[in-house]
Amino acid sequence: MLPGSPLLLSRCTNLEGEYPQEPARSSVTTHSHGSRRRNLLFWAASLLLSAHVVFSYEVPIFDTDYSRQICSGMWSGQNTFINVSFESTSQGQLAMVIYEWSDYQYLGKVTSETDEYLPKTYVCTSDAVRGGFCNPSGLGHFIIDLPAGKSIENTTFWSARVAFPGGEGGSGNSTGQDLWDNPGGNPTPPPSEHTSPFRRGLRTRQAGLNPSPSGLLVYHEPIRYLVRKTGYYCVAVVPVTVLQTPPSSALQKRQSSDVHPSYRGTVLFRNVFDGRLAATDYPKVNVLLFIMLLLYSAWAVAWGWMCYKHVTEILPIQYYLSYLVGFLIVEMVANLAYYRYLNAHGKGTVSTVFLFVVAILDAGRNSLSFFMLLVVSLGLSVVRDNLGPTMRKAQLLSVAHFIFGVLYAVGIVELEFESTSALTLLLFVVPLAFTLSAFLMWILWSLNATISQLKARKQHYKLRMFQKLQYILLFVVFVVSIFFVVSTLTFTGRLAEDYAARSWKVRWWLLDGWLSLLYFFAFGGIAYLWRPSANNSR
């Protein structure tokens, strides 16, 4: 079963149970921000049409989708909600359910106690009624199986059978015996503070925010689901086929003019923040990038002041460090600008170009940092005047690390971790891991050799600097090793159905956060050792 997807449903459920259904391989799966690639033009159009509205994270849905479920984390507030809207050209009927992931275990009923590979029965059809999985009044609805003593009011479920205008009973009048039809007519909605009787999702009942409609819900305006608790929310939509006439034979069933749903719509996740970013990515903007930019800016000011005080004694390596400090500020500004642009305008051609620019800057930052650390460890300008052929080898390794770094930076943004194969992920990770390992091993070996030379020459002041550098690097290797094990264990479970629900809050930290923080402290410590001072001549 695919991760984040408890539902195994056919692409189109037929309310007439004997009708053949497509195999269960058409499963409801989780839509993540990776689906933006397929909908590039949709995002561009949305940008032009909504220039003056509050932006939210949106996922388009179509009747041709292979996936039938859209899930996303949500940071809750007083004005957070999920909106499901459909275009006016939509027709037919569908079963819909909205819920928070903690209640997914109650969705559907076990089809067979003996065959564990047989998927649950999720939608109430006539076959499901005959099998005792649901009642006739629930035809066309999702099946919710609650344990004894637990009521629907104590869950997060909102469930309805939705009909588009003109499709309340097929394409006209439906007389099918297996299609639920209230002989007394559809119930009249109770009095509401809203002028429209169809804003069922906005009314508040005594025991919950999102009461499910009791009968057939005729769609006239967006369905709103209020969110007042931070969590991982899912919207599942399954088309249901309505028969116009009760066929009396298998041939008539195949030839009957059943109404197949056709729809286009959008699921909008309105988080506590304004913007188009998914909830799992938003902490990068304020928590990570903005704070890191402030830290780097403060360090740049302090470094500039030290350079100004000792401008006549600055060494060549300190010039290189000054260039790297400036490059880091530019790189952090570019990263922050990219995510703010993506949050404001969504995925598009401009953001794709922006992504490659940021990826190049990130890879350049890493390659320049390792290259500079390597030549420092080799003792350039301290132990020896030049490195000879060794410099060319260091340059080639830096170029390779730069190329693989660009591929990795693009991959972690564009790939869907829940559905991407392990081999594909390794193709992005392994080459970068090899060049990174080569850098680290070469740096540690060179540093040990330099320390040995300084010990032999009894240059104690320089020796203490390089020994402190060694301690910093050993600390970095220790931390990276720990997080490598933690990350490996974390991503090993990425195929679990609840992986996305468990990890959406901390995925930004696992992918970017801890590495950014570790780099800052390591670079700050090294730059502090080689800072401009009155003792530069020593």
Side-chain angles (χ1 to χ4, degrees):
M1 187 176 293
L2 293 176
S5 307
L7 310 181
L8 289 174
L9 304 169
S10 61
R11 291 175 64 87
C12 185
T13 300
N14 201 303
L15 295 186
E16 180 64 40
E18 298 90 341
Y19 246 41
Q21 300 182 13
E22 294 191 14
R25 57 183 170 82
S26 302
S27 61
V28 174
T29 57
T30 300
H31 277 223
S32 68
H33 62 274
S35 63
R36 295 170 297 180
R37 294 192 299 274
R38 184 189 60 186
N39 303 303
L40 192 62
L41 294 178
F42 178 87
W43 289 114
S46 299
L47 170 63
L48 295 176
L49 294 175
S50 56
H52 301 288
V53 299
V54 175
F55 295 128
S56 301
Y57 178 54
E58 298 178 334
V59 180
I61 54 174
F62 306 93
D63 60 278
T64 55
D65 284 342
Y66 181 83
S67 302
R68 295 301 184 191
Q69 179 165 268
I70 302 98
C71 294
S72 176
M74 290 199 67
W75 302 102
S76 65
Q78 292 300 315
N79 299 309
T80 52
F81 56 83
I82 299 172
N83 257 16
V84 184
S85 58
F86 297 94
E87 295 184 1
S88 58
T89 56
S90 301
Q91 59 181 356
Q93 296 187 20
L94 49 85
M96 181 186 300
V97 66
I98 306 175
Y99 65 99
E100 203 277 326
W101 183 264
S102 60
D103 290 328
Y104 88 95
Q105 57 187 314
Y106 306 127
L107 196 60
K109 282 192 175 182
V110 176
T111 303
S112 174
E113 297 291 346
T114 59
D115 187 356
E116 60 179 0
Y117 295 103
L118 195 63
K120 280 184 174 183
T121 299
Y122 288 100
V123 178
C124 185
T125 64
S126 54
D127 271 352
V129 172
R130 284 188 287 269
F133 298 112
C134 59
N135 298 319
S137 59
L139 276 170
H141 291 76
F142 273 88
I143 299 174
I144 299 175
D145 185 21
L146 299 177
K150 191 177 184 67
S151 63
I152 191 69
E153 288 81 7
N154 295 325
T155 68
T156 59
F157 285 112
W158 179 94
S159 178
R161 175 179 164 193
V162 181
F164 298 108
E168 297 86 343
S171 61
N173 298 322
S174 174
T175 59
Q177 296 177 357
D178 289 315
L179 177 62
W180 178 78
D181 189 15
N182 189 347
N186 290 328
T188 302
S192 170
E193 61 183 4
H194 303 288
T195 56
S196 171
F198 301 104
R199 294 180 67 89
R200 294 174 171 86
L202 296 179
R203 294 197 311 270
T204 302
R205 60 182 174 182
Q206 294 180 354
L209 289 171
N210 304 290
S212 301
S214 58
L216 184 67
L217 173 62
V218 181
Y219 178 83
H220 287 281
E221 58 186 351
I223 298 170
R224 176 166 294 188
Y225 179 94
L226 303 179
V227 176
R228 296 296 179 265
K229 180 181 177 182
T230 296
Y232 192 72
Y233 289 83
C234 297
V235 179
V237 177
V238 175
V240 292
T241 300
V242 181
L243 299 181
Q244 291 185 342
T245 57
S248 58
S249 65
L251 178 61
Q252 288 179 350
K253 289 179 183 178
R254 296 178 183 273
Q255 295 178 344
S256 64
S257 55
D258 49 346
V259 177
H260 294 282
S262 173
Y263 62 85
R264 296 168 61 93
T266 300
V267 178
L268 181 147
F269 296 90
R270 177 69 169 88
N271 282 276
V272 70
F273 60 89
D274 295 334
R276 298 183 183 275
L277 279 178
T280 187
D281 291 328
Y282 188 73
K284 292 180 182 179
V285 179
N286 286 341
V287 178
L288 179 61
L289 295 176
F290 184 70
I291 293 178
M292 294 305 296
L293 178 60
L294 293 179
L295 292 176
Y296 277 110
S297 299
W299 176 249
V301 172
W303 180 267
W305 173 248
M306 288 185 289
C307 289
Y308 174 76
K309 287 179 63 177
H310 308 285
V311 66
T312 59
E313 300 180 9
I314 293 180
L315 300 175
I317 188 63
Q318 291 166 344
Y319 280 111
Y320 296 145
L321 285 171
S322 300
Y323 300 149
L324 184 55
V325 169
F327 184 87
L328 290 174
I329 297 296
V330 173
E331 187 256 347
M332 291 303 301
V333 170
N335 271 279
L336 182 61
Y338 166 70
Y339 276 100
R340 285 196 174 277
Y341 180 88
L342 200 63
N343 188 50
H345 304 291
K347 188 70 173 179
T349 303
V350 175
S351 63
T352 302
V353 175
F354 211 157
L355 170 63
F356 280 96
V357 173
V358 169
I360 291 173
L361 290 174
D362 288 345
R365 183 271 307 268
N366 295 331
S367 298
L368 289 175
S369 301
F370 281 117
F371 175 77
M372 183 169 297
L373 186 57
L374 177 59
V375 296
V376 167
S377 300
L378 288 168
L380 180 64
S381 300
V382 177
V383 178
R384 54 181 62 89
D385 294 331
N386 63 79
L387 301 179
T390 304
M391 177 63 78
R392 179 57 57 88
K393 296 178 182 179
Q395 292 171 345
L396 291 176
L397 180 59
S398 300
V399 171
H401 190 71
F402 170 75
I403 294 173
F404 296 141
V406 172
L407 295 177
Y408 174 79
V410 174
I412 63 174
V413 174
E414 291 296 312
L415 293 179
E416 297 180 19
F417 286 88
E418 292 85 1
S419 57
T420 303
S421 66
L423 179 60
T424 302
L425 291 176
L426 289 176
L427 290 176
F428 282 88
V429 175
V430 170
L432 185 64
F434 273 116
T435 55
L436 177 61
S437 300
F439 259 126
L440 292 176
M441 294 179 65
W442 195 358
I443 289 170
L444 292 176
W445 180 86
S446 302
L447 186 57
N448 287 329
T450 301
I451 289 175
S452 298
Q453 292 185 25
L454 293 174
K455 286 181 179 179
R457 297 178 182 181
K458 297 182 179 181
Q459 295 178 327
H460 300 294
Y461 185 85
K462 294 179 181 179
L463 176 61
R464 286 194 297 270
M465 290 180 60
F466 280 91
Q467 285 177 335
K468 291 178 181 179
L469 174 61
Q470 187 180 44
Y471 297 150
I472 292 175
L473 296 183
L474 290 176
F475 172 76
V476 170
V477 172
F478 175 73
V479 174
V480 168
S481 299
I482 292 178
F483 271 93
F484 178 78
V485 174
V486 173
S487 299
T488 300
L489 294 176
T490 300
F491 288 112
T492 298
R494 66 187 178 84
L495 296 181
E497 62 182 10
D498 62 341
Y499 171 74
R502 289 185 291 105
S503 64
W504 72 272
K505 290 182 181 180
V506 297
R507 186 180 299 184
W508 67 274
W509 172 257
L510 294 175
L511 294 177
D512 300 307
W514 72 272
L515 279 174
S516 298
L517 199 61
L518 179 63
Y519 178 89
F520 173 78
F521 283 111
F523 173 77
I526 295 171
Y528 180 78
L529 290 177
W530 267 261
R531 71 191 183 279
S533 68
N535 298 321
N536 278 352
S537 58
R538 299 179 58 184

